[in-house]
Amino acid sequence: MSPRAGTVPARDAPARAPGWRERWRAFRNARVASPAFQRWAAGFPLTRRVAQRNTRALFDLCAGFVYAQVLYACISLDLFRILADGAMGVEALAQRLRLPPDRAERLLRAAASLDLLARLADGRYALADLGAALIGNPSVAAMIEHHAMLYEDLRDPVALLRGEAGPTRLSGYWPYAEAADSGAIPAEAVAGYSGLMSASQSLIAEDVLDAYPFADHACLMDVGGGEGTFAAAAARRCPGLRLMLLDLPPVAERARASLAARGLGGRIACHGGSFLDSPLPPGADVVTLVRIVHDHDDGPALRLLRAAYAALPPGGRLVIAEPMAGTPGAEPIADAYFGFYLLAMGSGRARSAEELGRMLAQAGFTGIRTRSTRRPLLTGMVVASRPFENV
């Protein structure tokens, strides 16, 4: 976007004298960059622990891909489920994994070093907390397997940043990200991603329902609801709530079949359409966007918020639930992980609650506020209201 008339672009602004914090940072960085200082800090009692921690953190950044591939191998071999019934020795595990014993032990030792497994005193291996948690979260396992595409797209991150990487695997996997006409996406193109989206929504659906009193409303419309994972959870939680789901026509058809198989076909009305091409269906007094807004660039995202505003009655609510930038302790999730994932996907970015608030106000909403969720690292929540008309 070009700067407004009469303003000076930031890059042309006159340089200002650095403050004391900047001077201190420059001095400190020069010391830390010195090999002699690094050797001294590693041996000096008051700085040794910090130096060791920084060395480990830097090595973990370098080795992160290897760690992720260890986890991927565990998931692919179903190692955690094999150990769900109890500890096993290396020989028995090697047979179950169909690996040579020495290779099996290499994997087991690697998994134990990452706190996925625990090595017992008698040499057997058992689940550690992280490995056990993955058994209860199949959606996480699905995302780990899905990351094979992301790793291919990140093979040359500089080319990706410069826009020189060409078509990415993720843009093909999520066809709506770059489709000129999202309503014309064929049914065979949505099967993979709609199933993965349903799996990922199952991880946070209950957290979203815990954070907002949906039972206070008459009808909920879940926009971009995929195969109905969140709508089904809302139906179970709020028996008196009428429910609607909107997604692309082939996805909505999959949702009808999935919900009917779960005995919810009569509870949830599925609508096929695209908010980019047509208005949202009316009738709901609360609209949910669960992990939807961050998939879109600012223009389409604002169009979606305006479409939700138009579909709601005065006093109706819009609930946005998704990973948000600026969440304390979750900065790498929003800025590093989603920053590069969405870049490879070809659309969207993680936004802070404040950024979403400004966009909601631009769309006409008022009463914009955040609500606490059980696991803010996975999802934050912003709620807004369509104001009552002035009399």
Side-chain angles (χ1 to χ4, degrees):
M1 181 180 295
S2 60
R4 292 178 296 172
T7 63
V8 179
R11 62 178 178 273
D12 296 332
R16 60 179 179 81
W20 70 267
R21 286 188 176 87
E22 291 182 56
R23 294 196 300 272
W24 164 248
R25 183 177 292 274
F27 171 80
R28 183 177 181 274
N29 288 346
R31 302 286 77 73
V32 172
S34 166
F37 177 83
Q38 292 172 14
R39 288 194 300 273
W40 172 83
F44 186 60
L46 295 181
T47 57
R48 182 184 300 139
R49 183 169 295 180
V50 174
Q52 291 174 348
R53 184 170 66 244
N54 288 345
T55 299
R56 169 65 188 269
L58 186 58
F59 187 85
D60 284 346
L61 285 174
C62 296
F65 176 76
V66 177
Y67 299 164
Q69 293 303 89
V70 170
L71 177 59
Y72 180 80
C74 292
I75 293 292
S76 298
L77 293 168
D78 211 17
L79 175 58
F80 305 128
R81 198 164 299 281
I82 290 172
L83 287 171
D85 293 332
M88 295 178 63
V90 174
E91 292 289 340
L93 280 168
Q95 291 183 359
R96 293 287 300 274
L97 299 173
R98 292 187 296 170
L99 294 174
D102 62 321
R103 301 293 177 89
E105 185 168 20
R106 189 181 296 255
L107 174 63
L108 295 168
R109 290 174 64 90
S113 74
L114 298 176
D115 295 325
L116 296 164
L117 302 181
R119 188 174 187 273
L120 306 183
D122 60 4
R124 293 180 302 152
Y125 285 86
L127 290 175
D129 287 351
L130 293 180
L134 284 167
I135 294 177
N137 292 290
S139 58
V140 177
M143 286 300 298
I144 291 167
E145 292 182 314
H146 166 69
H147 281 158
M149 293 184 187
L150 176 61
Y151 297 152
E152 288 189 30
D153 290 340
L154 293 180
R155 184 177 302 173
D156 187 345
V158 175
L160 184 66
L161 287 164
R162 289 175 173 166
E164 300 170 352
T168 62
R169 291 285 305 276
L170 286 182
S171 64
Y173 186 80
W174 303 97
Y176 64 80
E178 294 186 338
D181 180 6
S182 57
I185 296 173
E188 60 272 15
V190 306
Y193 87 75
S194 62
L196 180 64
M197 187 167 63
S198 293
S200 66
Q201 280 195 346
S202 68
L203 184 65
I204 63 164
E206 299 299 331
D207 291 359
V208 175
L209 292 167
D210 287 341
Y212 183 83
F214 290 100
D216 293 347
H217 291 273
C219 181
L220 179 154
M221 176 166 57
D222 189 28
V223 176
E227 297 184 5
T229 298
F230 177 73
R236 291 190 297 269
R237 180 74 69 92
C238 308
L241 185 66
R242 291 189 297 112
L243 291 132
M244 304 163 62
L245 179 149
L246 175 83
D247 213 311
L248 300 177
V251 180
E253 190 59 38
R254 293 178 63 87
R256 289 188 191 97
S258 174
L259 293 169
R262 287 184 273 182
L264 293 170
R267 282 284 313 273
I268 305 170
C270 298
H271 299 265
S274 168
F275 71 86
L276 294 174
D277 307 318
S278 57
L280 302 183
D285 60 341
V286 60
V287 169
T288 51
L289 299 171
V290 181
R291 292 194 166 190
I292 299 299
V293 181
H294 73 333
D295 281 354
H296 298 281
D297 294 331
D298 288 354
L302 183 57
R303 206 182 317 171
L304 170 57
L305 299 183
R306 285 174 169 158
Y309 181 93
L312 284 166
R317 299 284 180 84
L318 174 64
V319 177
I320 299 174
E322 63 185 33
M324 294 184 186
T327 301
E331 293 85 356
I333 297 174
D335 294 331
Y337 175 78
F338 280 108
F340 274 75
Y341 185 101
L342 295 171
L343 178 65
M345 179 175 144
S347 173
R349 64 186 181 90
R351 299 173 178 87
S352 67
E354 291 75 16
E355 288 180 288
L356 289 169
R358 289 192 291 270
M359 294 179 71
L360 286 163
Q362 191 175 352
F365 286 97
T366 59
I368 302 162
R369 64 190 188 279
T370 61
R371 295 184 73 101
S372 298
T373 60
R374 190 180 300 275
R375 290 176 286 187
L377 272 66
L378 296 179
T379 185
M381 181 178 287
V382 176
V383 179
S385 302
R386 173 167 176 167
F388 289 93
E389 308 295 335
N390 293 326
V391 180

